[in-house]
Amino acid sequence: MTTIRLGDEFPDFTAETTDGTINFREWKGDSWALFFSHPADFTPVCTTELGALAGLKPEFDKRGVKLIGISVDSLESHQGWTGDIADVTGNKLNFPLIADPDRKLALELDLIHPNANATATVRTVYIIGPDNLLKLSLTYPASTGRNWAEILRTIDSLQLTANHKVATPVNWTQGEDVIVVPAVSDEEAAEKFGSFDAKKPYLRYVKQPG
Ligand code: BEZ
């Protein structure tokens, strides 16, 4: 089992998916990727999550983020379930789902938390950058469906802060003011961003750059 922490290189793997055999690194290229696990096929919360994610794919495409899911079910099971997802949510699956019936990859990627469930994958979100490093990790229990709007919000923050010396404050969304990182001096901040609003010497707001 690999514990994958922020900043670590995300492991490469080859797996069977609903879109054929995929080598992760080749498939991902230099895009961003949202890699997520879900506990099981033919379960209610997962059905809503995957259908909603399929509906939001254009939003992820716009941000250059590829989507890929995994659960410890077989390819046949995944294929059977996709009809239900379309039925219930109106959205056809439009991203690959990895089949992992022997739990090999799930174990390798730390997706089974034995004290929560010894056999099924938890709901993990890994966001991987163009450099193949892990940028964000979230884990939800089986009983709590994820909020994809929040995941899109975190991607907006990750992509903005990768390119500018800023951080995003609580509940920030695209277009709102951001914070100059502490490592930037007032002089540099003025040079880079023009004026800034210093609520405290360490809390300096600027308009969202870029
Ligand atoms: C679900 O996706 O609905 C689910 C899966 C496992 C346990 C509880 C709920």
Side-chain angles (χ1 to χ4, degrees), residues 39-40 43-47 123 142-143:
T43 51
V45 177
C46 297
T47 302
R123 294 186 202 282
S143 50

Side-chain angles (χ1 to χ4, degrees), residues 56 60 146-154:
L56 282 169
F60 288 91
R146 284 160 285 207
N147 180 337
W148 297 127
E150 166 60 3
I151 303 306
L152 283 166
R153 192 190 75 85
T154 64

